[in-house]
Every structure is written in C-alpha cells, then in structure tokens.
Amino acid sequence: MRSLKFINTTSLTIAIATCGAVGSAEAEIRAIEEIIQHQEEINSQRSAIPALPYFESQTDANCAIHAINMALGERFISTEYYDKYTMFIGAKSLINKENPNEGYITENQYHALVHFLNPENNLEDFNEKIKQLELNFNSAASNLPNKIELEDYLNQTGVLGRKKAIENVIIVINKIYNLNLPINLNKFNDDNLARLAWDFENVASIVVYTDDHFFVLRKYENNWYQLDSLLQGPQILLNDNPINWLDEFTLNHDETHIIYFTSAQIEAAKNALHTKSPHLSNEIPFHLPKSVFDSLPPMLSPEPSEATFNEQEIWYFPHYDKADYKNIANEVVHMALGTELITPDDYERYLNLIAIKNNPHVSGRQRRLMRKYYDAGESTGEFYTREMLEEAWDLAAYNDALLYKEYLHQTGVFDQDKNIYNVINTINDLYDLKIPNEFNIEANANVANAERMIVDLDGSFVVLRRDLNDKWWLLDILAQNPKLLSEGPKNWLQKTAQFFPNIKLLCFTVDDILKLESPTKNLPTPFADSMTKSDPFGRDFVEEFFYLPSLSPLELQYISEELFSEQPAFQDNTYKFLHEFILKLFRQGGGDRSKILETFNAFIEQIPVSNSTSSSTSTSERKYKEEINPDTIKAFREAAAKWGLEQTNQQPH
C-alpha cells in the first residue's frame, strides 16, 4: 500500500476545514482507517492475480514435446529440430560399423535419412520425398537380417509427424544442453506416490501420461496448473495439492504414468538454455546449440576461409564470450551496420522514457512511475528501487495495461532479451535515420539490392555481408571469425530454407549503409533528467481522476501530493489548473468516475478566481479553457474514453 504524505497539503487541509467537510478528529481517523482498509483489500485482490505459466497448443502428434517444454517453462525444442537432431545425430549412434549385423540401422540407411534432408534433394512434394526415403531406407537393409524398415523406424523415433516417446524427447534435450534430466516414466502407484510426497517440497512440475496423451501439472507463482496442449490454455487446479489431484484422477484412469522435475533441475535447464544458446525471437523462443551451424550438415556450413580475421579489422565483429547474451540483438545489428551505435543503457532509456509514451498498453501512472525510477529521488524526493517499481507498476495496470513482467518481455529491458526491431527503432530515433526494421520472407525481401542482411533462422541470427571484392561472408556472433561463402547469398539462402522453412531476412542497401558514414547521436533530454517537462500538459497525470470508481477525500489528498511532487513535469498553466481542479473536487466531497468529465466540462467554462479579481478587463474575461493548453482538455477526453465515458459526458468547448 502506498504511504501517505501530509506535508504538502496545506491548501487542501484549509479547504476541508473551511467547507466543514470533516467532523471531529476521532471521526476523521475512523473514516480514513475504513478507506485505507478498503484500498488494501482492492490492492490485495489486484496483486493476487497471477501471471500464467508457459503454454503450448497441440500440433499433430507432438504432445510429448509440448509437455516437456511446458514442464520446463520455455520452448527448449521444436518438432522440426527434434526431427533433424534425431535423423542427423541420433541415427548416427545406431550404426555399428565394425559389426553391421549388430547395429540398429545400417550405414546406408543412415545415408538415406541424410539424403532425405539434404537441400540438394530436389523433390518438392513431401509425399514423394517420403516414398523415395522409404525405397532407399528399406532397400539398404534388404541384405541384412533383422534390420528394421522405415515404418518401424518412424514409429519408434517419432520423427516426421509420428507420435514421440517422451523418453526420446528428454534424451535429445539432455544431449543438446548437456543436462541430466530424468527420462523414465513410472506408473503412479502407492510406491511412486510415497516417493513424490517425500520430495514434494522440491517438485516444480509433473508430466502425466494416460490414455495415450501427455499433459503437465506445473507449480507457478505459488499456484498449481494443469497444462494440457489439447485445452485452450492453463487451467488452475481447484485442488491445489497435485498429489491429491492425481490420486483422484487415477480412480478413473488405471494406466497413469508420471515423471517429475524439481525446481533445481528446471533452473539448471534454463541456465543451460540461455547460456549455451541465447535467443532473441519472441515469436519462436528456440535456440540452436553453440554456433548456428555446428549441428547441421556440411553442405550448409561455409567453407573455411583463406582470409584471416585480421584482414577484416574494419568490420565490427564482437565475440560472444565478450558479450552479454541478453544484448546480442544490439550486437547483431551493429555487426550488420558495421559500427557500434547504441549502448544497452541507450536502448533501455529509450524504451522506458521515450517509446513508452506511445505504448497504448502502458497506463499514465505506469509511465510516471518509470520516470520516478530514473529520477532516483532528485526531483520528487521518492527513490524507487527496481523491486518497488515492480510492485507499484502492477497495481497501476488499469484496463488493458501490461503487468511488469509482460512489459519487460515486450520491450526487452532490465536484463531481458533485447529485440532487433526495438534496437533499430532506437537507432533510427537517436540518429534521425530511416534504417529498415521489418523482417520479410525471402520472396519479399530486397535481396537483389542488399549489401548486408540479418538472417533469422528460427530465432537465431547471423549476418551476411559483401566485401570490397564482391565476396560474401557469414558473420555468426557465436563463431570465432567471419566465414567465406563459397557461393552467392541467394543459393545459400535457398539451401538453408530447406532446413529453416520460416527463414526471414532484413536487408540493408548501399543507401542504408551510406546514411551511417557520419552518424550523430542526439540523446533526448529525458535521458539525463527524466522528470522536467516530462508531462507538460498532464496527459499522463489526468488519468489519476479515472482509475477508481469514485474519488474520496483521501484519494484526492494523495493525488494532490503526487501533483506537488511532480511539479517540474508540467509547463505553462498546467500545474495551477490541475491544482485548482483538485480543490474543486475536494469542496464537493469527491465524486464518482462517471461524473468527473461532467465536472471538468463545467469547470473549464469558469473564470479562474485569480482572473476574476484582476483589474484587467481583458484578463478577467478569460475562462480556464482559454488559459490552459488544448492538449490538457484533449487528455481529459482521452482518459474518459478509456472508461467509456466520452459519449455521455461530451460537451462542446
């Protein structure tokens, strides 16, 4: 709950006493206590609304992959990469070169799998490619006894759209991220129930298998949820004890098996996910291990270059071990543009102090809280820590405003992964440029005129760049040095698209690069002083009059104190007008939200008291609406519109 400050409310105290709005001191204390208790109940209900755990919807027969991703809390693996890993890397371990009869598959069967995924396989029809794979795979085993055919291989591995065993999915994740997650499903019986109960304090998620389907029970923000990819989204458990829930569930499902993960195992998995394979894409949060091409076929890997990195010194090429993975979006853009343009602090201040003004999902109070955080008490006297900002932010998430964690995820600020789109927007605004910032599919990208490209490979990013000798290089921030392409970018992109069908490009032309020859960065004034003239005509502040269903005298006192502390934010007559409007509401004992705009419309038609006592005739005839900036009137209209009040209260002015 917010603390009350009584040091800056002299005018309001006088107004209350003059108008007789408060009785005895004892009655006033009781009234304030009731208001505080009511507000605490509202805030408690508001803060009790939990964020929802990570969720995936069902695709084909992939419930095992969906369940593991949901159990671990992020997208660790996609169905496409599971297939590639299983057929390229996993299948290789099934060969016994010394004694082919003892191998699970033959070397020629493995080559058939590789050929199927080879970009040079020119068959476009998927069914035709499957028929060709079946012919090659089965014929490769014809001379050896006990070798499986393709149908059995697909069913046992779950690749190419078949149902996957959860043990296989976990094995792949363990291999990719060097983890040791448990892999064995166990029947839910008395023995396993006792084991689960003994370890229950550490359990964070439970994968349940029954009726040929996997789903998850997951603890998140102190609540337990059922995460079932066949449902619309997370479902909170009415019985908040998952053991009791499972006990009841198995009464109607005899063959129920489980595997559970502890909080420590999930934390280790997430650390490996972010450390070994940093991600940037919000839409596809999946990452390839190590360098982008380490686990892909040789035909996609650029050939070793005879040129040394020293010959490319003019290129901006940061190494991953020198960079924070959360800032890799910055580095990828800088690598493409050839120079370092913004710092991580530039990015965060721009998003939090400039771009936030045009974010429709951030409330006025949230914007003001962010400015106070950067002000650090210099103007307002209120020092906000990051923790205090988060708590106050969520209480100010009115209407469709974002919660704190949602805002961080959307913008990539405060230790979150930065977004390439936001990085380029920041550069464009700070340098007054118009560098393109939209990724396109290859067919719509300006490849023919491109000098450099950022390539999005399912959330991992590389840069293609042309040198002065018209040769193309691949720059991967996770690799040691630039690598020379043996062919032009178009052929390379076509082959790569066979493995990454969702490949997207952001192309930069010669004109784009020339704009960066002598760039000048202009840091906005709010970067150094987040408060002064930050809300000149009250656009953010006037929302305070509409947040609650009704304004009590105590609430008006709080608004007055906020107005006083933020006085440097306003200019012209905005502060004076808002102060006098609060006094108006105070004298009438507060008011309902539905009447605020009506009161405002009437108030701006009045002549200020200071004008009515003036000796100047021309000044005394000026009404409030003629003295204040039109943007203040517009701000009241817009704030009222957020609560659907503009139709019934709109008046001409």
Side-chain angles (χ1 to χ4, degrees), residues 442 447 450 453 464 472 485 487-494:
E442 185 181 354
V447 177
M453 296 177 242
L464 299 183
W472 280 86
L485 294 185
E487 55 192 342
K490 192 165 185 179
N491 290 337
W492 183 87
L493 289 169
Q494 288 174 349

Side-chain angles (χ1 to χ4, degrees), residues 13 224 229-230 286 325 402 429 479 513-514 652:
T13 305
W224 279 91
S229 55
L230 294 177
F286 171 68
Y325 73 86
L402 294 168
D429 212 355
I513 304 304
L514 289 176

Side-chain angles (χ1 to χ4, degrees), residues 269-438:
K270 288 190 173 184
N271 286 339
L273 174 72
H274 295 299
T275 302
K276 295 190 176 186
S277 39
H279 68 281
L280 300 168
S281 170
N282 290 331
E283 296 180 359
I284 309 176
F286 171 68
H287 339 290
L288 297 177
K290 301 181 183 177
S291 177
V292 173
F293 298 97
D294 279 1
S295 298
L296 291 183
M299 72 277 296
L300 285 188
S301 298
E303 296 179 358
S305 167
E306 295 180 0
T308 64
F309 182 62
N310 290 332
E311 295 178 43
Q312 310 295 337
E313 284 181 356
I314 59 171
W315 290 8
Y316 183 85
F317 187 79
H319 288 287
Y320 173 56
D321 59 1
K322 297 179 182 177
D324 180 352
Y325 73 86
K326 295 179 176 65
N327 296 318
I328 283 185
N330 282 32
E331 303 295 8
V332 168
V333 173
H334 293 155
M335 200 160 56
L337 299 180
T339 184
E340 186 173 14
L341 294 165
I342 61 171
T343 66
D345 186 62
D346 290 338
Y347 175 93
E348 292 199 343
R349 286 181 181 267
Y350 177 80
L351 268 294
N352 289 334
L353 296 172
I354 306 300
I356 196 173
K357 295 178 181 178
N358 298 315
N359 191 329
H361 300 298
V362 176
S363 72
R365 185 182 287 184
Q366 288 173 330
R367 286 190 284 268
R368 290 164 44 227
L369 288 169
M370 187 64 78
R371 295 196 288 262
K372 289 180 181 179
Y373 168 76
Y374 279 99
D375 178 69
E378 185 173 337
S379 299
T380 64
E382 294 181 273
F383 183 81
Y384 267 75
T385 64
R386 192 82 60 84
E387 292 75 17
M388 293 167 63
L389 174 65
E390 178 177 5
E391 180 181 2
W393 180 284
D394 284 350
L395 294 176
Y398 299 99
N399 280 354
D400 61 346
L402 294 168
L403 295 174
Y404 184 75
K405 290 182 179 178
E406 294 171 338
Y407 173 78
L408 265 55
H409 179 72
Q410 181 193 85
T411 57
V413 299
F414 296 161
D415 301 324
Q416 299 296 307
D417 297 341
K418 292 172 175 49
N419 178 285
I420 283 184
Y421 176 85
N422 289 338
V423 170
I424 297 179
N425 278 351
T426 303
I427 291 172
N428 279 338
D429 212 355
L430 296 186
Y431 286 89
D432 193 23
L433 298 171
K434 293 183 179 179
I435 303 296
N437 57 13
E438 295 283 353

Side-chain angles (χ1 to χ4, degrees), residues 203-222:
V203 174
S205 63
I206 306 168
V207 178
V208 183
Y209 177 70
T210 189
D211 299 332
D212 210 25
H213 179 63
F214 293 97
F215 65 88
V216 175
L217 303 181
R218 174 84 197 276
K219 186 178 183 181
Y220 188 77
E221 300 285 350
N222 296 320

